[in-house]
Amino acid sequence: MEGGNLMAESFKSADRVLFTSESVTEGHPDKLCDQVSDAMLDECLRQDPNSRVACETATTTGVILVAGEITTHAYVDVPRLVRSVVQDIGYTNADYGFDYRTCGVLTAIKEQSPEIAQGVNESIEAREGTDPMELGAGDQGMMFGFAVRETVELMPLPITLAHAVARQLAKARKDGTLPYLRPDGKTQVTVEYEKGVPKRVHTVVVAAQHDPGIDYQRLCSEIREQVIRPAIGDSWLQKTKYLVNGTGAFTIGGPMGDAGLTGRKIIVDTYGGYARHGGGAFSGKDATKVDRSAAYAARYVAKNVVKAGLADRFELQLAYVIGGAQPISLNVETFGTGKVADETIRKLIGEHFDFRPGAIIEKFGLRRPIYRQTASYGHFGRPELPWEKTDLADTFAKAAGAKAALA
């Protein structure tokens, strides 16, 4: 992938590069929708692990619409579930412009298309007798997994810090440290790199929804001291610029301030723009949808490659056809940081990981109700999630050493 290497060389050789990533709190209207969609998925899986779910949620002032295709033996009280999610997020007061007690809940749900179901239930390979794996991919598309040696989580530093600030913003609201905060919020962190190495945080931007009447200078000071500093740490905050609520006030937020939709924060969900994205959203989709499951598998493999010391920066691309079990392509990119040949890494991956949807589901236990937790603050870089394990790293390292010795 020549273009990728050229980009990497430019990044590594530049004396100064500024890279920015953003995050949002769980009260952001798009994230509210992601959480409702994943709560629907979790409840279906809790009752029926074989549920097929493609749930989309939309919201605007005073209303939430839950739509999509769901085939399940589960019974879900949709209004009750939606109101519970909205309450957990913190929209508990009509003064916020959105309230779990009074918001309208509309549903428009039908079963999965029988043509899609046919391809998922029995893969092309199974029908042709070339592979006994039953499940086929629930859609076509390409997915990317990425890891980089910048943080202990092997995630890009800008998105890691943006999530940390967003989490701290929500914590300060929930624990009463800053009781005037409301659920909606956004963060943005710009990191300064020198020859590809992060040196400092150049700029931090926070948009924090708040009660009317809060003094602006007080807000800026307290956000800086109670949110930004605890989240990032003084070692990164060197000559850093701070921008809080760029318009001066942010009292109208959530669904009253902006419409929300499932799957509209896919860059926040992944690598903050630092790596490529296949375009498919995650939330509301069961694991037969490779948009989700294969992206998790690709992240797992990428993280283990970097943990094994085979590259300092690594990207894996997969592509599938609807109804197919095996990916139709697998490509690796080390951005000039590989310690062994790219082809060696590609072969190791093929030998030690099974990318068929059924195998991915089994590997990570993806028929469990584990998804709502992923719908805020990113799907990657969180050690509690099964695709974040590095249990394949030793295998990769030993196998790569043997192959290098043989070469």
Side-chain angles (χ1 to χ4, degrees):
M1 296 176 67
E2 183 180 359
N5 279 321
L6 287 173
M7 290 171 62
E9 290 302 319
S10 174
F11 182 70
K12 290 191 299 181
S13 64
D15 290 334
R16 183 173 183 263
V17 172
L18 300 179
F19 192 90
T20 302
S21 294
E22 74 159 347
S23 182
V24 297
T25 67
E26 63 259 41
H28 186 282
D30 291 333
K31 275 292 147 201
L32 183 158
C33 291
D34 284 343
Q35 289 169 88
V36 168
S37 292
D38 272 338
M40 285 287 295
L41 171 61
D42 278 354
E43 183 56 25
C44 288
L45 292 175
R46 187 185 68 79
Q47 299 181 46
D48 178 7
N50 293 310
S51 297
R52 300 280 174 79
V53 180
C55 180
E56 308 286 349
T57 304
T59 186
T60 187
T61 305
V63 67
I64 293 178
L65 168 66
V66 181
E69 297 78 46
I70 299 178
T71 300
T72 183
H73 294 296
Y75 169 74
V76 181
D77 185 336
V78 178
R80 181 184 294 272
L81 181 143
V82 169
R83 294 183 195 283
S84 175
V85 172
V86 175
Q87 181 182 17
D88 288 347
I89 290 170
Y91 287 109
T92 56
N93 189 327
D95 290 342
Y96 296 171
F98 199 80
D99 177 15
Y100 79 98
R101 299 178 187 86
T102 59
C103 66
V105 180
L106 306 175
T107 60
I109 297 170
K110 60 181 184 293
E111 290 188 341
Q112 184 180 58
S113 160
E115 294 175 336
I116 295 175
Q118 174 180 298
V120 175
N121 293 339
E122 187 178 29
S123 68
I124 294 170
E125 294 90 336
R127 295 197 300 271
E128 293 176 346
T130 59
D131 190 332
M133 180 61 72
E134 181 177 293
L135 286 179
D139 203 352
Q140 70 176 46
M142 65 278 194
M143 304 86 208
F144 290 91
F146 182 77
V148 62
R149 200 176 295 281
E150 284 186 8
T151 63
V152 294
E153 302 89 353
L154 302 182
M155 285 287 287
L157 183 62
I159 187 65
T160 299
L161 295 181
H163 285 322
V165 177
R167 283 181 180 274
Q168 184 65 20
L169 185 64
K171 181 177 182 296
R173 169 177 63 89
K174 293 175 180 178
D175 68 15
T177 300
L178 301 179
Y180 52 78
L181 292 180
R182 293 181 174 185
D184 200 353
K186 301 177 75 172
T187 66
Q188 188 170 284
V189 175
T190 301
V191 173
E192 181 177 328
Y193 289 80
E194 180 181 312
K195 297 190 183 302
V197 178
K199 293 299 181 181
R200 70 183 182 102
V201 171
H202 179 275
T203 304
V204 181
V205 178
V206 175
Q209 187 189 14
H210 58 86
D211 292 342
I214 300 301
D215 178 75
Y216 180 68
Q217 294 304 320
R218 174 193 172 190
L219 175 71
C220 293
S221 174
E222 293 186 344
I223 290 292
R224 178 171 173 171
E225 297 303 320
Q226 302 297 330
V227 175
I228 297 173
R229 285 192 179 280
I232 295 180
D234 289 338
S235 61
W236 289 113
L237 298 172
Q238 304 296 324
K239 299 181 180 179
T240 300
K241 298 178 182 177
Y242 303 92
L243 301 171
V244 178
N245 288 5
T247 65
F250 184 12
T251 61
I252 303 170
M256 185 175 183
D258 193 8
L261 189 65
T262 297
R264 206 158 56 180
K265 286 291 177 286
I266 59 176
I267 301 303
V268 172
D269 285 341
T270 53
Y271 307 103
Y274 197 102
R276 286 175 287 192
H277 196 295
F282 300 158
S283 289
K285 297 177 181 177
D286 74 86
T288 64
K289 281 74 172 174
V290 285
D291 277 341
R292 184 169 215 161
S293 55
Y296 291 169
R299 161 63 180 172
Y300 170 80
V301 170
K303 187 175 183 180
N304 278 270
V305 166
V306 173
K307 182 70 173 179
L310 305 187
D312 292 331
R313 188 169 180 234
F314 183 79
E315 182 182 78
L316 174 67
Q317 186 203 37
L318 302 170
Y320 290 82
V321 61
I322 189 168
Q326 295 284 357
I328 60 172
S329 69
L330 182 154
N331 194 47
V332 304
E333 174 60 80
T334 59
F335 304 96
T337 70
K339 313 305 180 186
V340 298
D342 286 5
E343 185 58 30
T344 297
I345 298 176
R346 186 183 293 107
K347 288 180 178 178
L348 285 174
I349 293 170
E351 291 169 2
H352 295 283
F353 195 87
D354 189 342
F355 289 100
R356 296 176 297 175
I360 296 171
I361 290 169
E362 183 177 352
K363 169 73 175 176
F364 300 126
L366 298 182
R367 295 197 189 279
R368 298 173 290 155
I370 61 172
Y371 296 103
R372 186 183 161 191
Q373 64 183 311
T374 69
S376 300
Y377 312 116
H379 293 243
F380 305 128
R382 301 166 63 168
E384 70 272 18
L385 299 174
W387 49 88
E388 290 295 312
K389 294 180 179 178
T390 53
D391 52 332
L392 195 57
D394 285 345
T395 300
F396 278 164
K398 290 175 183 177
K403 288 181 181 294
L406 287 174

